[in-house]
Amino acid sequence: MTLGAVLTLHGTPAPVTAKKAAVKQAAAAGCAAFVVGQPEVAVSDATRDRLGLAGWPDGPFGVTALGGGTYYFHIAAAFGGSVASRPQRNVTVKGTLANPVRDGVAFSTQLQGVPTGYIWAGGGAVYRDPGTGIVLQTLHLERRVAGDQFYAELHLGRLNPATGVTTYLGKVVQPDIPIDRATWNADLGIPQLTVVEGGDGVAYLHLYFADHRLADGQQVPAGLSVARAPLKDVIAAAQQGTVVPWHKYSGGGRWDEPAWGGSSADINPGRPMAWGPQVVRSKAMNAYVMAAGVSEREIVLSTSGDGLDGWSERFPVARDPGYFNAYVTPVGNGPDPADLGTDFSLYYLQWPSLQPNWDNARVMRRKVTCADGETPVRKPFTRYVKDHRHLVTTGTPPAGYTREGNWTLWSAPQPGTRALYNCRAGADDYFISVDPGCEGKQTTIVQTEGWIHETRPSSAYVPLYRCHIPGFGDHFVSAASNCEGTGVTNEGLLGYAPPAT
């Protein structure tokens, strides 16, 4: 890991010019300066066990605000249902953004009216219509194919917020590939119900998913597909206990393919995902934000101005090489969870193992902000040490670390600055990088630290270097170009830190 004139994008070295182009693309799409906080355990495995939440959460959350900082979190649990052929149940927990289960389990119910022939049935994402009070829920239903594989479909249900019971309304989206041609999991996830203003001035409900199709006789997933229906028609049908036809986007401004089994355009081609994407509106960013797991270890963000085209370069927000991450959910921290604003939470299920294991699972949370346009303020950038190993951060260090040095970073970008990121190699080799991807796929993304000047505005600004002790696996930051001693490698200039005042 050396600093130099390269940045790793998607695992492939790219020159600095590619980095600058990517930043410009992100800025046009919504946010050029995401700030990612440290991972927090929102729901521990012990808490899941105490509340009887076996196999929970088995998908991304649907979230409704109850007022006063209290929320319902809706999602299926894999076990505990009353139907032997499909033992899932719908669970609603009540709590805060910091502690989604603070008030325990509010409801544990069975989906009502599900057609026969499905081996998995559960609900997640929700949309509450402000005019009628109707609450819609995305339903994920699976049929068995190819031995132990499944074929997923998206349906709609109507959730009764007073009882937590969801009643089946009807079918919405089926993969492009026919069920008899599927050879492995055709997974559509449990996408959010996202309101999008169409070019015709009509408000639509969108469902984003990775469609599955046949290409040269092989089953291939899309990077990103989308289906829609007019919002007012969806609500009117729900009042009658049914659904209206939805249509997939087929490209070129056309929505002319039936969502049930029709073909779809790949609106994010060449960018496969490991888990179903979630796309949520941010009015403050004037964009749609996609959160997606691109592997079992890594989660990224991307933005688009219209929710169809111009998706920005993916920005990595979480990577845990030793863990298995799934089911990411972006949730606004403001009064409307469906509007990310400039300050939102990312929740995801984490198995602290290389493979899924419901005997040890937890819900993680990362706070994310968009620092575009914020007034930069100084924040302490402190070097700590513990057992001869270093950590340099603007955050709070783990127990046992003692302070060893201090500088300053900016909290937001300004002309001539670049961001610094905290990364970890292995269990305890923390290092600072200018690469948001932390220079490889086997490193852990810890958090965004702040911004530093690329050139020296005046002699009051302090040069900071990244230093490495070879053979010991330890990195630190120093203001000395000789890294404070012999046998230590200077891996490059990070930038120039502003004076404390």
Side-chain angles (χ1 to χ4, degrees):
M1 297 173 294
T2 57
L3 293 172
V6 297
L7 171 72
T8 301
L9 293 176
H10 312 302
T12 302
V16 171
T17 52
K19 172 192 173 186
K20 293 179 179 177
V23 170
K24 289 180 180 178
Q25 185 182 10
C31 184
F34 282 119
V35 179
V36 181
Q38 293 187 25
E40 308 167 4
V41 178
V43 184
S44 68
D45 185 62
T47 299
R48 290 174 57 256
D49 290 344
R50 176 175 59 82
L51 295 174
L53 293 173
W56 177 94
D58 201 10
F61 291 117
V63 181
T64 53
L66 302 176
T70 302
Y71 301 81
Y72 277 150
F73 292 77
H74 314 272
I75 189 54
F79 313 115
S82 58
V83 179
S85 61
R86 45 176 180 83
Q88 302 78 37
R89 56 185 170 130
N90 267 13
V91 173
T92 299
V93 297
K94 184 179 180 181
T96 65
L97 294 176
N99 181 6
V101 297
R102 181 196 64 184
D103 301 328
V105 176
F107 307 107
S108 177
T109 64
Q110 202 73 37
L111 277 178
Q112 301 298 304
V114 176
T116 60
Y118 291 97
I119 61 167
W120 201 102
V126 294
Y127 169 76
R128 183 184 182 277
D129 180 59
T132 63
I134 285 177
V135 180
L136 300 174
Q137 187 170 47
T138 308
L139 306 182
H140 175 106
L141 274 59
E142 295 176 2
R143 300 181 187 274
R144 177 71 68 207
V145 297
D148 196 35
Q149 306 298 298
F150 65 83
Y151 182 86
E153 302 164 354
L154 301 179
H155 300 241
L156 277 185
R158 181 173 177 178
L159 171 65
N160 183 336
T163 64
V165 174
T166 297
T167 301
Y168 178 86
L169 292 176
K171 60 187 184 180
V172 175
V173 178
Q174 190 180 62
D176 180 9
I177 187 172
I179 189 170
D180 59 357
R181 299 295 302 277
T183 56
W184 52 284
N185 292 341
D187 189 2
L188 301 183
I190 312 180
Q192 302 295 316
L193 290 154
T194 304
V195 178
V196 178
E197 189 79 16
D200 53 4
V202 175
Y204 291 88
L205 273 181
H206 281 210
L207 288 168
Y208 291 86
F209 53 95
D211 207 351
H212 285 247
R213 70 226 15 213
L214 280 173
D216 297 325
Q218 301 296 316
Q219 181 177 341
V220 178
L224 185 66
S225 302
V226 60
R228 76 176 188 182
L231 174 59
K232 67 178 183 62
D233 294 349
V234 175
I235 297 301
Q239 290 177 308
Q240 302 300 317
T242 186
V243 296
V244 294
W246 289 51
H247 291 86
K248 292 179 181 177
Y249 183 67
S250 58
R254 300 185 305 275
W255 297 83
D256 53 4
E257 284 286 332
W260 194 256
S263 61
S264 62
D266 190 343
I267 60 175
N268 206 7
R271 297 176 174 182
M273 304 177 195
W275 298 97
Q278 302 294 318
V279 177
V280 181
R281 172 72 167 162
S282 167
K283 294 179 182 177
M285 290 187 236
N286 193 29
Y288 297 88
V289 180
M290 178 180 68
V294 294
S295 73
E296 296 88 350
R297 322 291 174 215
E298 184 172 344
I299 297 168
V300 301
L301 297 177
S302 181
T303 58
S304 166
D306 63 3
L308 288 178
D309 300 312
W311 291 95
S312 68
E313 195 71 37
R314 290 175 171 181
F315 183 87
V317 291
R319 186 191 307 113
D320 300 281
Y323 298 156
F324 197 111
N325 297 328
Y327 306 144
V328 60
T329 310
V331 177
N333 292 337
D336 181 4
D339 180 7
L340 298 188
T342 58
D343 178 16
F344 59 98
S345 297
L346 279 181
Y347 297 92
Y348 51 100
L349 173 67
Q350 184 175 84
W351 289 287
S353 54
L354 292 177
Q355 296 297 327
N357 176 16
W358 282 117
D359 291 333
N360 186 13
R362 59 196 182 191
V363 177
M364 305 299 294
R365 178 196 184 201
R366 283 188 184 250
K367 298 174 187 176
V368 182
T369 60
C370 178
D372 284 358
E374 288 189 1
T375 300
V377 297
R378 291 172 171 87
K379 53 197 299 191
F381 187 46
T382 305
R383 190 172 92 185
Y384 300 92
V385 66
K386 176 184 178 183
D387 299 330
H388 306 290
R389 291 193 175 276
H390 292 88
L391 168 65
V392 190
T393 182
T394 55
T396 302
Y401 280 87
T402 57
R403 182 180 178 276
E404 199 175 58
N406 191 74
W407 304 282
T408 302
L409 296 179
W410 293 113
S411 64
Q414 55 182 298
T417 61
R418 64 181 179 186
L420 297 184
Y421 304 92
N422 201 313
C423 312
R424 191 178 71 242
D428 50 17
D429 181 12
Y430 290 92
F431 64 97
I432 300 298
S433 178
V434 298
D435 175 15
C438 287
E439 304 176 27
K441 297 301 184 183
Q442 297 304 313
T443 54
T444 298
I445 296 171
V446 180
Q447 70 171 25
T448 307
E449 294 295 347
W451 277 260
I452 194 168
H453 291 267
E454 294 188 75
T455 59
R456 198 173 196 175
S458 75
S459 60
Y461 287 71
V462 181
L464 294 183
Y465 302 91
R466 191 172 86 183
C467 305
H468 179 224
I469 305 175
F472 188 62
D474 180 54
H475 285 81
F476 61 94
V477 171
S478 176
S481 60
N482 68 352
C483 289
E484 305 173 29
T486 59
V488 183
T489 302
N490 181 337
E491 292 191 330
L493 177 69
L494 292 165
Y496 297 90
T501 56

